[in-house]
């Protein structure tokens, strides 16, 4: 039976995998989720231990495709997606302390975990477009890493234009240069006068303007796209089975902003991976930690931090977790999201209990982030990026009997200023990016205004 995808707001067409991937945001403003979660057997999970990353990826994702790609075709796409990674293990584990491990997800071409999903989506979308000869316009918002990963995955493709909105002045220089230096004419870096939440809101506005959306054939690569989340489920199985699952439980701590990465862990658990604790780690923009403790999801406005990829207060994928916590009641989710316009909502008693049974949480402020980077450099020799440091600090508060795996989401060289402040060491870019600072930059400053943004997109794709 082909897997179907439904919207978290219950009022959009039910789609197959390929359509859900190309559609991005559902037409009722919701996010697509699979109608059911396929479970893997204990034997299937046990069989992943020690297998190559690509093999685990095939086994974890195949049940979601509904036959959209044939098996051989899908294996080929996976192979091409990960061949550009700079570590044979793709996602190596290193030990940080007693029962505490770091999953290094930063060996992809743009040095952040976003490459795991984006490289694969690039391959999958290209294969889908090749069948129909269609052209699409990708528009995405980024707090820094999604944008660079998307440009790397789509640059130079004949039938795709990629527009990335990033908050002007609020991304690291390495992040910015990764977006502004691709020379391909189909890459458009747009520096918006606003923060990430505003950039993401304008992208959603474009999707909700159906005339525009259909006119430019809009597609999305933010983690509103289910295929992004799906690709991230893989490394939970890969790391979990490396440390003894399914024969014993494992725990994960995930530095969180838009809730996509940790939601992938939640899916892994529902598919049968025995996850004890799944811990949300936030920086000083701690809406998710506060919401889980108090039951009130209230936005306070973003405070720029040294872990900018997590400077988010409107956490898109949290909607997917709410959908399950509200018993998959799309109307209830739509009502909550309506209340977001006035700054937030109260989570029902039943739903908050359900969320607390799935997730633990903690926060890490700026000083603590620097202190953790300094301490680990001294004691373990591991140079942590500030996002990974937020995870490590929160994880240390949650280590129990099960091995704890903290997701290291970016390479320290992507955030050299913070790392240098903490350690005195300025991490250098890996050789494949050594010329990043010599390349000319190309970016367009844009206002936080829907009509102006739409005009830019229309004008650029008409060239
Ligand atoms: C995107 C990102 C995060 C947050 O991931 P979400 O899926 O948005 O929760 C954390 N760290 C880094 C380095 C990132 O790029």
């Amino acid at each position: 039976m082909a897997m179907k995808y439904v919207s978290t707001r219950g009022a959009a067409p039910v789609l197959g995998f390929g359509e859900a991937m190309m559609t991005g945001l559902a037409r009722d403003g919701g996010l697509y989720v699979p109608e059911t979660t396929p479970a893997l057997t204990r034997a299937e999970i046990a069989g992943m231990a020690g297998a190559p990353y690509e093999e685990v990826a095939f086994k974890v994702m195949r049940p979601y495709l509904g036959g959209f790609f044939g098996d051989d075709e899908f294996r080929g796409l996976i192979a091409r997606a990960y061949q550009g990674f700079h570590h044979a293990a793709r996602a190596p584990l290193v030990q940080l302390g007693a029962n505490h491990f770091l999953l290094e997800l930063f060996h992809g071409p743009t040095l952040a975990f976003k490459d795991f999903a984006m490289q694969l989506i690039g391959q999958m979308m290209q294969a889908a477009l090749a069948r129909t000869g269609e052209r699409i316009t990708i528009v995405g918002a980024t707090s820094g890493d999604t944008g660079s990963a998307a440009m790397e995955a789509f640059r130079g493709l004949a039938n795709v234009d990629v527009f990335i909105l990033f908050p002007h002045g609020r991304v690291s220089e390495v992040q910015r240069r990764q977006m502004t230096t691709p020379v391909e004419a189909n890459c458009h870096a747009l520096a918006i006068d606003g923060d990430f939440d505003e950039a993401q809101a304008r992208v959603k506005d474009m999707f909700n303007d159906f005339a525009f959306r259909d006119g430019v054939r809009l597609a999305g690569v933010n983690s509103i796209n289910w295929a992004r989340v799906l690709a991230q489920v893989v490394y939970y199985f890969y790391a979990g089975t490396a440390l003894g699952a399914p024969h014993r439980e494992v725990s994960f701590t995930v530095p969180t902003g838009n809730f996509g990465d940790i939601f992938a862990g939640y899916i892994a658990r529902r598919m049968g991976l025995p996850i004890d604790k799944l811990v949300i780690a936030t920086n000083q923009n701690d809406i998710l930690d506060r919401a889980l403790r108090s039951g009130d999801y209230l936005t306070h406005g973003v405070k720029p931090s040294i872990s900018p990829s997590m400077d988010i207060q409107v956490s898109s994928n949290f909607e997917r977790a709410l959908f399950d916590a509200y018993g998959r009641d799309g109307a209830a989710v739509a009502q909550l999201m309506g209340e977001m316009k006035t700054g937030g909502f109260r989570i029902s008693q039943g739903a908050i209990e359900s969320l607390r049974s799935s997730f633990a949480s903690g926060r890490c402020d700026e000083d603590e982030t620097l202190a953790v980077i300094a301490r680990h450099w001294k004691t373990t020799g591991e140079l942590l990026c500030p996002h990974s440091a937020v995870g490590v600090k929160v994880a240390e508060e949650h280590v129990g009997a099960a091995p704890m795996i903290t997701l290291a989401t970016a390479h320290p060289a992507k955030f050299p200023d913070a790392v240098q402040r903490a350690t005195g060491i300025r991490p250098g870019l890996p050789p494949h990016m050594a010329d990043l600072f010599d390349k000319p930059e190309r970016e367009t400053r844009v206002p936080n205004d829907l009509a102006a943004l739409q005009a830019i997109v229309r004008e650029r794709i008409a060239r």
Side-chain angles (χ1 to χ4, degrees):
M1 263 252 307
M3 172 74 72
K4 291 289 175 211
Y5 291 84
V6 298
S7 165
T8 50
R9 302 192 193 174
V14 173
L15 303 178
F17 176 81
E19 295 166 305
M21 171 175 77
M22 300 311 285
T23 298
L25 196 68
R27 287 179 100 88
D28 58 3
L31 279 64
Y32 277 104
V33 287
E35 200 168 46
T36 56
T37 308
L40 299 174
T41 64
R42 222 181 129 83
E44 284 171 320
I45 297 171
M48 294 175 185
Y53 188 87
E54 286 79 354
E55 187 59 30
V56 178
F58 178 79
K59 288 182 169 150
V60 169
M61 293 189 283
R62 186 182 179 281
Y64 289 91
L65 302 183
F68 185 73
F69 296 114
D71 285 356
D72 289 344
E73 182 182 21
F74 190 45
R75 281 185 195 279
L77 299 176
I78 293 171
R80 282 198 290 284
Y82 300 114
Q83 71 188 5
F85 277 51
H86 296 271
H87 197 297
R90 311 306 183 217
L93 273 170
V94 299
Q95 185 156 14
L96 281 187
N99 236 9
H100 188 185
F101 298 81
L102 194 70
L103 183 62
E104 293 185 349
L105 299 175
F106 51 70
H107 297 285
T110 69
L111 310 183
F113 82 87
K114 303 294 199 297
D115 288 322
F116 278 88
M118 209 64 79
Q119 285 292 319
L120 184 63
I121 288 206
Q123 294 294 333
M124 292 196 296
M125 283 193 174
Q126 212 179 323
L129 292 175
R131 289 181 193 170
T132 61
E134 265 186 292
R135 268 198 79 82
I136 55 168
T137 303
I138 290 174
V139 179
T142 186
S143 53
D145 295 324
T146 292
S148 40
M151 286 198 176
E152 181 62 31
F154 291 98
R155 69 191 166 88
L157 294 192
N159 39 9
V160 180
D161 272 283
V162 52
F163 292 83
I164 297 296
L165 284 167
F166 66 90
H168 174 72
R170 297 195 185 194
V171 299
S172 82
E173 186 170 2
V174 174
Q175 289 178 314
R176 188 191 72 232
R177 285 180 170 276
Q178 285 181 329
M179 294 185 278
T180 58
T181 58
V183 297
E184 290 80 0
N186 72 329
C187 292
H188 313 274
L190 308 179
I192 188 172
D193 287 313
D195 59 24
F196 171 77
D197 288 339
E198 291 166 315
Q200 177 162 257
R202 294 301 78 75
V203 170
K204 286 195 171 181
D205 290 345
M206 289 191 215
F207 273 94
N208 288 326
D209 176 344
F210 293 158
F212 177 78
R213 171 180 188 157
D214 297 338
V216 304
R217 302 214 52 95
L218 204 59
V221 292
N222 278 106
S223 50
I224 55 176
N225 193 319
W226 165 257
R228 275 272 306 273
V229 175
L230 177 59
Q232 292 168 202
V233 177
V234 174
Y235 46 70
Y236 286 88
F237 279 96
Y238 183 67
T241 54
L243 290 181
H247 309 295
R248 64 171 176 177
E249 294 190 309
V250 290
S251 292
F252 290 91
T253 299
V254 187
T256 304
N258 226 353
F259 212 78
D261 209 6
I262 190 151
F263 190 74
Y266 166 90
I267 295 291
R269 182 197 263 149
R270 292 197 41 165
M271 290 177 74
L273 187 68
I275 298 180
D276 177 19
K277 292 182 198 162
L278 193 51
V279 188
I280 297 164
T282 73
N283 66 19
Q284 61 188 9
N285 294 296
D286 58 356
I287 184 165
L288 290 164
D289 182 47
R290 280 187 286 113
L292 220 62
R293 286 174 203 279
S294 69
D296 291 316
Y297 188 89
L298 296 175
T299 58
H300 286 174
V302 172
K303 272 206 292 186
S305 79
I306 55 172
S307 43
S309 304
M310 289 152 55
D311 289 347
I312 295 174
Q313 290 281 283
V314 183
S315 190
S316 257
N317 282 282
F318 193 54
E319 179 168 342
R320 288 190 162 110
L322 286 169
F323 183 57
D324 279 0
Y326 276 83
R328 302 213 134 199
D329 178 349
V333 173
Q335 158 123 29
L336 294 180
M337 293 303 139
E339 291 174 34
M340 276 304 284
K341 295 194 181 78
T342 55
F345 51 82
R346 173 140 192 92
I347 302 168
S348 75
Q349 191 57 33
I352 195 72
E353 278 166 19
S354 159
L355 289 166
R356 284 177 187 148
S357 71
S358 296
F359 303 101
S361 70
R363 80 190 288 276
C364 177
D365 69 22
E366 299 287 276
D367 290 342
E368 290 168 326
T369 306
L370 291 169
V372 167
I373 297 173
R375 173 161 55 82
H376 273 278
W377 172 241
K378 270 196 213 111
T379 59
T380 64
E382 185 78 20
L383 211 45
L384 297 169
C385 96
H387 310 78
S388 311
V390 165
V392 165
K393 186 258 178 186
V394 173
E396 285 172 348
E397 296 163 355
H398 286 87
V399 177
M404 173 63 79
I405 302 166
T406 298
L407 273 49
T409 51
H411 192 288
K414 239 179 153 167
F415 305 93
D417 296 339
V419 174
Q420 186 170 21
R421 244 173 90 193
T423 63
I425 305 280
R426 192 164 183 87
L429 288 167
H432 69 96
M433 281 176 51
D435 59 348
L436 187 67
F437 284 81
D438 306 329
K439 294 180 176 170
E441 293 190 77
R442 194 163 55 90
E443 70 168 45
T444 308
R445 251 325 250 292
V446 295
N448 176 17
D449 178 79
L450 178 62
L453 292 167
Q454 290 175 322
I456 290 169
V457 171
R458 282 207 186 91
E459 190 249 319
R460 293 278 184 93
I461 63 174
R463 275 182 200 168

